[in-house]
Amino acid sequence: MSLMLWTFWTYSFFGYLLEKGYAAATHGSQRARKGFLLLPMCPVYGLGALAVLALPPSLTDGFWSLALWGGLTATAVEYVVHLLYDRLLGVRFWDYTQVRGNLRGRVCLPFSLAWSLLAAAGLPVVQGVLVPVLAAVPPAVTYAALLVFTADAVVSLRLLRRAGDTEILSLRALGRA
């Protein structure tokens, strides 16, 4: 169980870094799509990685198979997470309506192809390095991290639900509140 938590947290953090890098590379005015008040995490990436890692080996035995099924799985997770944020919290962390090949602004073909490439080319390599490192994390550290994560998640979800705006998660916005 602790390996699954650390895998989720690690890929959520990697996703945050990827979002920051993408925004910087594209000179985007958009900030990284976070999902937490203080923690630099994008949970959709952690959930997507866990879902791809949970696929049966018969669907992931080779680059192209992993690209196809991993990309479809990550895209499905992205769609569901967007839908839940929208329906349960009344917020949208991302909107692909201006991107060609989008489905209700929740997912789009260009990013689905990116998830396919990341799943097939990146996931096996990263997992090979991560698993031994994450498996060595002491239980006490996992419990402490879980407490911090849970507190941040509860506060973040309450703020999002109340404000209905993802900007509330910026420290700047909290200072004005």
Side-chain angles (χ1 to χ4, degrees), residues 3 7-8 11 17 26 32 38 49 56 68 74 89 96 98 112 122 132 144 163 169:
L3 182 60
T7 300
F8 169 74
Y11 282 101
L17 294 178
T26 61
L38 298 174
L68 172 67
L89 301 173
Y96 297 134
Q98 302 302 316
S112 293
L169 296 183

Side-chain angles (χ1 to χ4, degrees), residues 1-45:
M1 182 60 143
S2 72
L3 182 60
M4 190 171 13
L5 277 172
W6 282 105
T7 300
F8 169 74
W9 293 331
T10 302
Y11 282 101
S12 294
F13 175 68
F14 288 168
Y16 173 79
L17 294 178
L18 188 64
E19 290 283 333
K20 285 293 218 184
Y22 180 78
T26 61
H27 305 290
S29 60
Q30 66 218 178
R31 54 174 175 53
R33 58 174 146 165
K34 288 178 55 167
F36 289 94
L37 179 60
L38 298 174
L39 296 175
M41 300 175 103
C42 294
V44 67
Y45 287 89

